[in-house]
Amino acid sequence: MGTYNFNWHVVQDNLPQLMHGLVITLQISAVGMFLAILFGLFLATMRLSQYKAMSSISYGVTQVSRSIPLFVLLFWVYYGLSLKFGIKFSEFQAGAVALGITGGAYMAEILRGGIMAVDPGQQEAALAIGLTRFKASQLVVLPQAIKIVIPQAVNVYVGLLKGATIVSVIGVADMIYVAQYVSLQTFRPFELYSFAGIVFISLTLSIAGFAWLLEKKLSHGRVNG
Amino acid sequence: MTIPTLDTDISLVDKGRVLLELRNVNKSFGSHKVLRDINLSIHKGEVVCIIGPSGSGKSTLLRCINFIAPPDSGEVVFEDRSWKTFHAKFNIFANKRYENTLPNLRSDIGMVFQHFNVFPHMTAIENVMLGMTKVRKIDKKVAREDARKRLEQVGLGDKIDQYPEKLSGGQKQRVAIARALALNPKVMLFDEVTSSLDPELVSGILDEMRRLAKAGMTMIVVTHEMNFAFQVANRIAFMDEGKIIEIGTPEEIKNSTEVRTKAFLSSILA
């Protein structure tokens, strides 16, 4: 046994700040996920376009966005855009956009798979009753694709949630930032980061559980009806 | 060769009025030519059955009519309005504008598919209501009442709130028929609608189609059910290798001297 004595009081004493950080983490990952879904839907639609050029551009953007480390992306969005183009984001906005771009690239591939997994006859039937292509996607194809996509989308969200811990480097006061800040004053990083770890584990598990329930609830006829 | 007696009601066919016409329609998938120069006129109230070996282009012909599979060339004339494939290579917006006119054509043409294609995430009545509320913009309450009647007509009055997964193949196909009829289409397209049904469910669906034909609906029916075709059709078209080889009354087709028609009929009715 080592000689390190845990002192969990430091967590207890700073709980309000840590919880406030957690709220920021949840907010930024939620906004990031929202952007990721929009960006992913946009890329997936382009990817499935009948125009080769559109499809290729989407493929390129997806691959590049996916390969940029989140850390680098954060710096580009926060410092790069403002230095080079004068586009100024707040720390929170920059963090959410960076998460949206990374997550969007993953969502694009997942959504594309989901849309392609829906029987083409569904779209045909929707068009045949006179729906526009847009309405057919919105009312018939996407609702079915979403069911297929939910488990993987949850994985992306869990990834973003963990990715959201990196946003502290540009000064977003998320839970890791608070933990770091407090540990600099108290010299108790181990307790603080462990606490953050436990919070994340329980978050991830409850999200997975929620997704499981959602999937069950939505499971009407996944195969061709 | 035994062919059942005709019970076609000629009086329902309005000989003076061509409702739908295909002119020089061609369609290829890659290098494979599926339709070659198809010409076909359908009169109001007429039932035309399309028969022929698999892969002869019957289904594609049907799908060209409502541009689910847009023809490569040629035109579809429906109620004196001509529809052609428009496809600009680069002007995506022009293509979108064109695409957005197609629902006008499609909503007047009901279609029923081989694999039902009912929407699995909606109940039976929601399936029927979708086109009414989103295409015809009918008020939800009114649509619901009408949809319920439509489902009762096809014998599904007690299943209106069921999801398709709880329905048999025959019941799903009835939902699909009700869904198509809900828009009051002027012509109905049937694409091998009994081919994926269990044998004992086939006659029920054929009866629905007979009922529709008797009510004067204009119908184009791609089918392998020869008894149905020869009993119900006003005219039968025989297709092979992407062409309409021959079209005529059941009597004419039955007594055809065309080699391929004879070969096909004898192989099927043997």
Side-chain angles (χ1 to χ4, degrees):
Chain A
M1 288 293 266
T3 51
Y4 191 87
N5 291 313
F6 281 104
N7 180 1
W8 294 102
H9 280 295
V10 63
V11 172
Q12 221 166 31
D13 295 343
N14 294 289
L15 204 56
Q17 291 97 305
L18 284 166
M19 282 302 129
H20 185 72
L22 176 64
V23 171
I24 301 279
T25 304
L26 288 174
Q27 280 173 344
I28 204 166
S29 60
V31 176
M33 188 63 190
F34 178 71
L35 294 175
I37 291 169
L38 288 187
F39 187 46
L41 203 52
F42 175 73
L43 286 176
T45 312
M46 255 177 94
R47 185 71 197 283
L48 294 169
S49 159
Q50 51 190 320
Y51 301 98
K52 253 223 133 101
M54 294 264 262
S55 175
S56 310
I57 291 170
S58 163
Y59 179 72
V61 171
T62 308
Q63 291 304 325
V64 171
S65 314
R66 201 158 61 165
S67 9
I68 307 171
L70 185 57
F71 195 83
V72 177
L73 197 58
L74 264 176
F75 273 82
W76 278 356
V77 173
Y78 186 57
Y79 298 109
L81 287 183
S82 108
L83 287 175
K84 195 82 196 154
F85 303 104
I87 303 169
K88 254 194 145 20
F89 283 121
S90 73
E91 294 87 350
F92 185 91
Q93 287 165 345
V97 167
L99 289 173
I101 292 173
T102 314
Y106 285 99
M107 282 309 293
E109 286 296 292
I110 291 169
L111 285 168
R112 184 176 74 102
I115 291 168
M116 281 173 45
V118 176
D119 172 20
Q122 291 290 313
Q123 192 190 359
E124 287 173 8
L127 293 177
I129 57 172
L131 292 172
T132 59
R133 228 164 240 284
F134 181 79
K135 284 259 179 225
S137 300
Q138 183 204 347
L139 299 168
V140 174
V141 180
L142 282 179
Q144 294 180 57
I146 283 168
K147 276 176 227 162
I148 301 169
V149 151
I150 280 178
Q152 292 154 291
V154 169
N155 281 339
V156 171
Y157 180 66
V158 169
L160 289 190
L161 196 64
K162 288 190 288 181
T165 57
I166 297 179
V167 297
S168 58
V169 296
I170 56 168
V172 178
D174 73 330
M175 190 159 65
I176 297 298
Y177 185 89
V178 175
Q180 196 176 7
Y181 185 79
V182 174
S183 61
L184 285 176
Q185 295 171 327
T186 58
F187 306 106
R188 288 276 167 196
F190 202 61
E191 286 85 345
L192 288 157
Y193 286 131
S194 301
F195 174 72
I198 290 164
V199 169
F200 272 88
I201 290 170
S202 39
L203 263 181
T204 310
L205 287 179
S206 24
I207 291 165
F210 174 71
W212 182 76
L213 282 177
L214 196 64
E215 219 193 322
K216 255 193 113 153
K217 206 168 150 44
L218 289 174
S219 68
H220 292 295
R222 184 178 285 186
V223 280
N224 178 26
Chain B
M1 179 157 84
T2 54
I3 285 175
T5 51
L6 309 178
D7 68 351
T8 317
D9 189 355
I10 308 278
S11 64
L12 289 169
V13 182
D14 185 349
K15 275 279 182 202
R17 202 168 147 216
V18 174
L19 180 69
L20 176 76
E21 196 177 352
L22 302 188
R23 291 184 188 153
N24 306 101
V25 167
N26 283 283
K27 174 84 185 168
S28 302
F29 291 119
S31 60
H32 178 52
K33 255 188 150 332
V34 188
L35 295 180
R36 301 162 194 262
D37 231 12
I38 297 286
N39 285 288
L40 179 65
S41 328
I42 310 285
H43 295 267
K44 195 171 178 308
E46 194 177 25
V47 177
V48 174
C49 285
I50 303 176
I51 61 172
S54 334
S56 56
K58 307 182 298 285
S59 287
T60 307
L61 171 70
L62 219 52
R63 293 146 67 86
C64 275
I65 294 174
N66 62 358
F67 285 69
I68 295 293
D72 296 337
S73 65
E75 60 181 321
V76 175
V77 181
F78 180 66
E79 293 194 307
D80 303 324
R81 182 167 173 189
S82 164
W83 296 85
K84 285 179 192 167
T85 296
F86 171 86
H87 188 78
K89 201 145 182 137
F90 296 107
N91 192 344
I92 293 166
F93 298 105
N95 287 337
K96 266 256 138 19
R97 272 202 299 281
Y98 159 75
E99 180 73 43
N100 285 337
T101 62
L102 284 176
N104 294 328
L105 171 72
R106 289 174 179 149
S107 62
D108 282 339
I109 300 179
M111 189 169 198
V112 186
F113 301 85
Q114 179 181 356
H115 297 291
F116 327 133
N117 299 356
V118 289
F119 307 132
H121 59 303
M122 298 179 186
T123 60
I125 198 162
E126 285 167 354
N127 264 276
V128 180
M129 284 168 65
L130 185 68
M132 302 167 103
T133 54
K134 301 293 177 185
V135 179
R136 294 277 191 249
K137 313 280 182 209
I138 298 170
D139 176 73
K140 248 200 166 126
K141 263 200 187 128
V142 182
R144 196 175 175 82
E145 197 40 43
D146 193 20
R148 200 177 53 77
K149 279 187 201 141
R150 299 273 183 193
L151 285 168
E152 274 167 11
Q153 269 170 20
V154 294
L156 290 178
D158 55 336
K159 304 275 187 211
I160 59 172
D161 291 321
Q162 296 280 11
Y163 282 94
E165 62 182 344
K166 292 268 196 298
L167 301 177
S168 72
Q171 290 168 334
K172 283 182 210 169
Q173 198 60 298
R174 284 162 200 271
V175 172
I177 292 173
R179 175 177 70 185
L181 289 174
L183 297 176
N184 292 318
K186 291 167 180 151
V187 53
M188 287 282 286
L189 311 178
F190 291 89
D191 186 6
E192 297 190 27
V193 293
T194 55
S195 297
S196 52
L197 289 177
D198 293 335
E200 72 272 20
L201 301 172
V202 169
S203 66
I205 295 298
L206 294 179
D207 287 344
E208 291 296 338
M209 291 163 69
R210 278 200 180 90
R211 202 168 55 79
L212 263 181
K214 282 235 162 73
M217 176 62 80
T218 312
M219 293 164 57
I220 307 176
V221 183
V222 168
T223 188
H224 290 296
E225 298 287 334
M226 289 304 138
N227 286 352
F228 177 83
F230 279 93
Q231 278 173 23
V232 181
N234 299 110
R235 282 189 300 159
I236 293 177
F238 172 69
M239 281 186 78
D240 194 17
E241 293 178 342
K243 285 189 208 140
I244 295 180
I245 304 293
E246 194 170 12
I247 181 162
T249 63
E251 202 64 36
E252 285 164 6
I253 296 294
K254 183 169 62 175
N255 301 320
S256 168
T257 51
E258 224 290 331
V259 184
R260 276 180 284 186
T261 314
K262 270 166 79 177
F264 175 72
L265 285 180
S266 61
S267 74
I268 273 207
L269 298 170

